[in-house]
Amino acid sequence: MEERLQKFLANQGICSRRKAEEKILQGKVKVNGQVITELGTKIDPEKDEICYEDKLVSNQIEKVYILLNKPIGYVTTVKDQFNRPTVMELLKEHGKRIKTSVVPVGRLDMYTSGALILSNDGEFVYKITHPKHEITKTYQVTVKGTIAESEVEQLKQGVDIGEYVTKPAQVRIMKIDSEKDISRLEITIHEGKNRQVRRMCEAVGRKVLALHRSKIGNLNVKDLKLGQWRYLKEEEVGQILRYMLQ
């Protein structure tokens, strides 16, 4: 069955679909020895020979889906220009790195811990990260001071985080510790703006002291220690795809 060249490359875990499109336009992809520069090009994976940056791309790849409990101090990228530790350094199996190349699905900033999915399934990555496929993310948030119910209501209704008003969120107070002068919240959103939860709390005058993503859709990391990961089961992958808001 024919499919677009950039989709094939993404599905093989070579790179994201967007990156594949860039490489095609740059003349870095060949089909049957011919350089391709048209994004509309379709190929038959069973018959055509595809080369990406002069390396043959096999159409036989085992799809891998990983759930990681990211610690603070790691950046969510494959490589970092500033040589900071990346989440890829945590992916070891029996003392060795896993055999296939995976990429992070979405992002967590360096100072946020918690649930992160990684995969070599380009179509899965595309579906999960595309804005039209909104999936819920749940965060455990520690803020400075005693948060007021009025502030919680603001977060629920949506707040201005700078040229953008967030959509309604689920927010509940988990604990207020007067002695430590902190409040703990659970916030569930289905958007993915940069540093969104931190900016939401700042919008109501609360400084975030700690931030942990506990769930993506219905997947949680409560049974994983920080820095640990596990493979997702086939049914879990199906569940998270069905969990996306339509």
Side-chain angles (χ1 to χ4, degrees):
M1 180 181 294
E2 289 192 338
E3 62 180 312
R4 289 187 182 275
L5 181 55
Q6 59 264 41
K7 181 179 178 182
F8 168 79
L9 292 171
N11 284 344
Q12 302 316 301
I14 302 300
C15 56
S16 69
R17 192 182 300 191
R18 182 176 297 177
K19 178 62 70 174
E21 291 176 348
E22 292 176 3
K23 293 296 184 179
I24 291 170
L25 292 173
Q26 293 168 6
K28 301 292 186 180
V29 182
K30 296 179 182 178
V31 177
N32 300 325
Q34 180 180 354
V35 174
I36 301 298
T37 57
E38 298 291 332
L39 295 182
T41 301
K42 291 187 176 182
I43 55 97
D44 185 340
E46 298 298 324
K47 300 178 181 178
D48 295 322
E49 181 180 271
I50 317 301
C51 287
Y52 177 88
E53 296 189 330
D54 294 323
K55 293 182 180 179
L56 183 65
V57 179
S58 171
N59 66 349
Q60 302 297 322
I61 183 171
E62 180 184 0
K63 301 293 178 63
V64 172
Y65 311 88
I66 288 170
L67 178 64
L68 167 72
N69 190 356
K70 186 187 92 67
I72 292 172
Y74 289 80
V75 292
T76 307
T77 185
V78 174
K79 295 180 180 180
D80 182 64
Q81 60 179 325
F82 303 111
N83 293 318
R84 295 171 297 183
T86 77
V87 293
M88 310 308 293
E89 296 173 29
L90 299 168
L91 299 184
K92 295 181 180 180
E93 186 175 28
H94 307 301
K96 298 180 180 180
R97 296 202 177 279
I98 61 174
K99 295 180 180 180
T100 187
S101 297
V102 297
V103 297
V105 183
R107 288 183 178 272
L108 276 182
D109 71 50
M110 187 173 183
Y111 302 105
T112 300
S113 61
L116 179 70
I117 297 174
L118 301 100
S119 179
N120 63 351
D121 183 345
E123 190 65 19
F124 175 83
V125 174
Y126 174 76
K127 287 181 178 179
I128 296 298
T129 57
H130 196 284
K132 73 176 182 180
H133 298 132
E134 299 174 331
I135 187 165
T136 59
K137 282 90 63 176
T138 301
Y139 296 82
Q140 310 294 327
V141 192
T142 302
V143 298
K144 179 71 173 175
T146 301
I147 195 164
E149 287 291 348
S150 59
E151 295 167 345
V152 171
E153 285 303 313
Q154 290 180 57
L155 293 172
K156 287 181 178 180
Q157 296 300 319
V159 292
D160 188 340
I161 59 173
E163 299 182 359
Y164 182 82
V165 177
T166 60
K167 295 179 181 179
Q170 298 176 38
V171 185
R172 70 181 182 93
I173 298 174
M174 299 177 65
K175 182 179 180 180
I176 292 178
D177 191 324
S178 300
E179 289 187 7
K180 295 183 179 180
D181 193 30
I182 60 172
S183 301
R184 291 195 175 95
L185 310 174
E186 181 180 81
I187 299 178
T188 300
I189 61 174
H190 55 84
E191 302 164 281
K193 301 298 180 182
N194 183 40
R195 300 179 67 252
Q196 181 171 335
V197 174
R198 292 182 186 275
R199 292 161 67 193
M200 287 171 63
C201 292
E202 289 169 1
V204 298
R206 295 294 166 185
K207 180 181 179 180
V208 173
L209 302 177
L211 184 58
H212 175 79
R213 184 158 72 189
S214 57
K215 294 175 65 177
I216 300 175
N218 58 346
L219 294 174
N220 66 65
V221 290
K222 64 180 181 180
D223 295 326
L224 289 174
K225 294 180 180 179
L226 286 171
Q228 288 187 339
W229 60 272
R230 68 175 178 84
Y231 290 110
L232 291 178
K233 300 175 183 177
E234 184 177 346
E235 57 265 31
E236 289 178 314
V237 176
Q239 286 172 0
I240 198 167
L241 289 172
R242 290 193 297 271
Y243 199 88
M244 290 187 297
L245 300 176
Q246 303 298 321

